[in-house]
Amino acid sequence: MSGHRLHWIAAAVAVVSLAAAPGGPPREAAAAPAGKLEIFSWWTAGGEADALNALFGLYRKRSPGVQIVNATVAGGAGTNAKAVLKTRMLGGNPPDSFQVHAGHELIDTWVKSGYMEPLTGLFKSEGWDRAMPRGLLEILSYQGQIWSVPVNIHRANILWYNKKVFSDNGLAPPKTFEEFFRAADALKAKGIVPLVLGDKEGWEAGHTFETVLIGTLGADGYRGLWTGKTSWTGAAVTRALETFRRMLTYVNSDHAALTWDEAGQYIIGAKGAMLIMGDWTNGWFTSKNFSGYGWAPAPGNEGVYDALSDSFGLPKKARDRENVMAWLRLLGSREGQEAFNPLKGSICARTDCSPTPFSPYQRWAMQRWRGDAIVPSVIHGAAASEGWATEYKDALALFVTSRDVAATQRALQKACVNAGVCK
Amino acid sequence: MPGHAARPAARRASAQDWAVGAAMVAPSVVAVAVFVYGFVGWTGFVSLTRWNDVLPSYAWAGWRNYVDLFQSFRFRIDIVNTARFTAAFLAGCLGIGFALAVLLDRGLRAEPVFRTIYLAPLAISFIVTGVVWRWLLNPGSPQLGDVGVNLLFRHLHLGWLRAGWYTDPRIGILAVALAATWQMSGYTMALYLAGLRSIPDELREAARVDGAAEWQIYRQILVPLLQPITLSAVIILGHISLKIFDLVVAMTGPGPGFSSDVPAYFMFDTTFRGNHFAQGAAIAEVLLVLVALLTVPYLVYSTRAEVER
């Protein structure tokens, strides 16, 4: 124990003397930081945990005196973690910083209720308001302030396809819904599942429909759905639901038994052709040693980046405020983002990361990130409050079975009214 | 005189006994009062407020949450699912449990072995059962081929029995009931077996002497005598089926079109995903009332029976 302490002190002294060395850049943390830093997340396994540990490694180098407490809650794509987080926040015992989907999941749940501190000053002093695209800053903002630091960007609106199946049938990835249905008919005639779906967990249909909404309404029309500018009762949403209903006639019969990754087996086995899913699929294919896949924007989604982002914020009652600020500075830095994202399978929220450590898909996505119109994903928490997103998810999950366009459109409108956005 | 002196001492002793007894019981009385009845009351209060966001709001909403709840499509489906699940689960467990108990009661040679085998599923958690039955009842597909039970049916040349199981909205929750029945029918068997063993042999012999056929003995004598056992089984299984949650989570989730969704799952979803705390509390209260409807008459009946005894 005392040996350890000596070790830390030695390291701290080394850092201080380095910082104080003539010619070295002046550091504001001249007194070595100490104490704890508790980081709450649901990154417990695989590449995600490795990525988090890479950040911890960098943090230890920067602030060696600080003991990092890695508080993770496994399972349920974050559902379980969010339940634990709620108890802790409401009970006045928040973690120092916690993983949360950037956008309304953070804003409607924790910002409006007054649990968070704004970070606009940090963005200005670190220059992140220039290093990150404006569309992203809009997602992070509420009432003119920025509330969390995004560590990564995932893209939701990607069409993944089996290259061999496509080339064998002389097909190209469909750019429009017409092309999609033409390709789907050709594949169906060959006994191949045109569109692979696994909606056992209930959110996947809502995910696919989100891309149909973008493809039908365009970036501005889709954004307007969540701010009240676009009507949920209009003809465009009806058209989107009808398109989605038609797409559902091309899915695998056992979709309700499978999770999205189990459904991905169809693509690997060349029994299925296309899958609309987020870019975590890239990492999943890689982990299965499968390389025969290609990707393209989902039909009608060219030029639109449907984004979700994991971010960290500063709770008002955080016990180790200075340590959290150091953590947030690391998350937003190029060094932190370049260490985290290749392992996580996502891309940097900043636009100036070096493409070298990234995979071909990620390089493609990084290029798009600079130029595309950025819209928030609803099913992954960026576009709407958690209550609204849950009702949206339920309405679409029922639609997969009922195929009732009018009733689903009414349910979607009601969800918007319940959220207080529509009248 | 000595008798006279002993009386106050006895009174003192009994008062002391009473004090010690009260002190022993007090912690659990207090704990139950706070953690059971206190929170039941608190949940009831929350269900009447407007707390449908993260931050508590104790503004009075009256019955609005309940009205909204019974108007929501998901809750209506859930209620129907619960009714179907309860009916199938009770019928399955009681039927299979009774049949197994009768067979074991016939004086089988390896009876302890069978008894253990039938009871074994009870030792498994619903989560494990759910995962295993999710695989067993996986529907497979024309492209990837059959798996699980469907594969078995095909090999037995019973291909027409293949089904979509929990992916077929018409079956939905019944597939979950099948798994639950597998788990709990052994337990029901144990209940019935104990009941059968407690019925004196003289009764059966007398009936046989009177010329009753074997099935008549069961119908006219044993089944009526087993009625208290059936009642206990209905209560125990019934409250499990009303509160079922873990099995659904592990096996199917809400299912296609919520065909395997249950109120407890909806409660979890709406409270912790949607932040609708008041709505979640309203679901909890509805569940409480349903379980109470099932158990309170039974408790009244059994206390009365005890008093009479």
Side-chain angles (χ1 to χ4, degrees), chain A residues 271-293:
Chain A
K271 311 274 186 185
M274 296 178 270
L275 167 71
I276 294 177
M277 189 35 71
D279 57 10
W280 40 93
T281 311
N282 186 52
W284 185 76
F285 279 145
T286 313
S287 74
K288 294 277 165 189
N289 286 323
F290 175 66
S291 58
Y293 64 94

Side-chain angles (χ1 to χ4, degrees), chain A residues 3-4 30 49 68 114 123 134 149-150 187 213 239 266 309 330 358 380 399 409:
Chain A
H4 266 280
I68 297 173
F123 271 71
R134 193 140 49 87
V149 179
L187 291 161
L213 279 174
R239 220 163 48 237
Y266 275 96
S309 167
L330 170 66
F358 289 93
H380 301 288
F399 181 72
Q409 196 164 1

Side-chain angles (χ1 to χ4, degrees), chain A residues 86 109 257 266 386 393-394 401, chain B residues 54 74 141 256-257 269 272 275:
Chain A
K86 270 165 207 166
T109 306
Y266 275 96
E386 288 181 281
K393 164 188 81 86
D394 284 356
T401 317
Chain B
V54 182
R74 186 165 174 185
S141 68
D269 224 21
F272 291 111
N275 293 332

Side-chain angles (χ1 to χ4, degrees), chain A residues 6 19 41 59 61 94 96 121 161 177 183 186 190 193 223 243 248 256 288-289 310 346 358 370 373 388 398-399 404:
Chain A
L6 267 181
S41 77
Y59 188 84
K61 253 187 235 154
D96 287 326
Y161 61 94
F177 290 115
K190 292 271 176 69
V193 176
R223 266 195 222 114
T243 305
L248 287 172
K288 294 277 165 189
N289 286 323
D310 292 300
S346 44
F358 289 93
R370 275 182 221 124
W388 191 356
L398 184 64
F399 181 72
D404 186 338

Side-chain angles (χ1 to χ4, degrees), chain B residues 14 36 46 68 85 109 139-140 156 199 211 222-223 264 266 273 293:
Chain B
S14 84
V36 178
V46 168
D68 281 356
F85 180 86
R109 196 183 304 153
L156 294 174
I199 295 170
L222 296 182
V223 171
F266 183 27
R273 225 188 238 259
L293 283 180

Side-chain angles (χ1 to χ4, degrees), chain A residues 76 79-80 82-83 86 90 108-110 112-115 191-193 200-203 252-259 262 265-266 271 386-388 390-391 393-395 397-398 401 411 414, chain B residues 51 53-56 68 71-74 77 134-135 138-144 166-167 169 248-258 265-266 268-277:
Chain A
T79 319
N80 303 347
K82 286 177 207 167
K86 270 165 207 166
L90 295 176
D108 285 58
T109 306
W110 299 121
K112 285 185 183 171
S113 51
Y115 279 82
I192 296 167
V193 176
K200 189 217 161 208
E201 287 175 6
W203 58 268
N252 42 308
S253 56
D254 59 346
H255 59 89
L258 308 177
T259 55
E262 288 166 344
Q265 288 290 354
Y266 275 96
K271 311 274 186 185
E386 288 181 281
W388 191 356
T390 305
E391 287 184 54
K393 164 188 81 86
D394 284 356
L398 184 64
T401 317
K414 185 160 177 281
Chain B
W51 186 4
D53 209 335
V54 182
L55 272 195
D68 281 356
Q71 279 174 351
S72 94
F73 65 85
R74 186 165 174 185
I77 297 173
R134 178 158 96 85
W135 293 335
N138 191 309
S141 68
Q143 291 80 15
L144 299 183
Y166 55 85
T167 65
V248 175
V249 173
M251 188 169 161
T252 60
F258 299 104
Y265 196 94
F266 183 27
F268 175 77
D269 224 21
T270 195
T271 310
F272 291 111
R273 225 188 238 259
N275 293 332
H276 298 133
F277 285 83

Side-chain angles (χ1 to χ4, degrees), chain B residues 245-261:
Chain B
F245 172 77
D246 35 8
L247 184 63
V248 175
V249 173
M251 188 169 161
T252 60
F258 299 104
S259 59
S260 59
D261 199 42

